[in-house]
Amino acid sequence: MRWSFKLHGGAAAVLSVVALALAALTWLPGRGALPLFEPAWPLAVVVVPAFALFLAALVRQFTTGADRSAQWQAFRCLPGRVRAGLAFLAVASVAVMVMGIVSGTGEGLRDAEARDGRYVAYDPTATTDSRTVEVTRDEYLSLLPSSLRMMYAMPGLLCAAAAAIVLAAGELRRADDAAAVR
């Protein structure tokens, strides 16, 4: 496999780990423990490269011209530890998203955001047409980590998928190069 495929897959896997670590940090007790959740830069640092890596992986996959069964066979040719690591990242990302959905279905405020200098949250129990209610800064800061948890888990899943796609494309390219030499 060419080094560019390894570098691309490794970068995607590392970014997946970073995204999942940030999602896990949202469960730490005490909203003041880490100042990572109020500024928008950690989310931007994870989301923008995740989409770029995923789109580049799709382009690399489509340039191989292989069908799905050949891509699956190429993925199965990857070393077992690599496949296990990618599967762990994907399962962990999905688990974080499921836990976020399950914990968000209860009664109470969720999806906190800052709008025009005010802090608002979604209230599923509100009886008015607008289900957003204004909250204090302390309530906003306590709701913010749970609101961002899903936003960190989604890029984690995208990056795990990007790593799997690009490494499988690298295996296909390696097999094509080996066949061309014969």
Side-chain angles (χ1 to χ4, degrees):
M1 181 182 315
R2 295 180 184 168
W3 65 270
S4 65
F5 288 96
K6 292 178 185 177
L7 182 65
H8 187 171
V14 166
L15 189 59
S16 179
V17 169
V18 168
L20 287 175
L22 286 170
L25 288 176
T26 62
W27 275 300
L28 282 179
R31 60 181 162 77
L34 290 171
L36 290 175
F37 303 116
E38 191 170 9
W41 68 265
L43 188 59
V45 166
V46 171
V47 171
V48 172
F51 281 111
L53 287 169
F54 186 72
L55 289 176
L58 288 179
V59 167
R60 289 184 113 172
Q61 176 192 27
F62 290 133
T63 58
T64 62
D67 62 349
R68 275 191 262 165
S69 64
Q71 292 169 359
W72 178 246
Q73 290 296 332
F75 179 75
R76 291 182 56 200
C77 289
L78 292 173
R81 288 183 181 179
V82 172
R83 287 183 296 163
L86 293 173
F88 173 77
L89 290 174
V91 168
S93 297
V94 169
V96 169
M97 286 191 277
V98 166
M99 285 188 281
I101 290 170
V102 169
S103 67
T105 58
E107 301 285 327
L109 300 173
R110 60 179 177 256
D111 299 333
E113 62 181 288
R115 287 188 200 162
D116 302 324
R118 299 177 318 142
Y119 302 105
V120 295
Y122 176 75
D123 186 8
T125 61
T127 57
T128 62
D129 288 339
S130 174
R131 293 190 178 246
T132 57
V133 294
E134 191 168 346
V135 295
T136 65
R137 179 172 169 76
D138 288 337
E139 289 174 317
Y140 166 76
L141 289 175
S142 66
L143 290 171
L144 192 58
S146 65
S147 299
L148 290 177
R149 188 172 300 131
M150 192 81 87
M151 292 303 294
Y152 285 122
M154 281 188 253
L157 182 60
L158 267 181
C159 286
I165 290 169
V166 78
L167 291 174
E171 278 295 310
L172 283 169
R173 181 71 64 176
R174 184 191 59 77
D176 287 346
D177 291 346
V181 170
R182 290 182 188 177

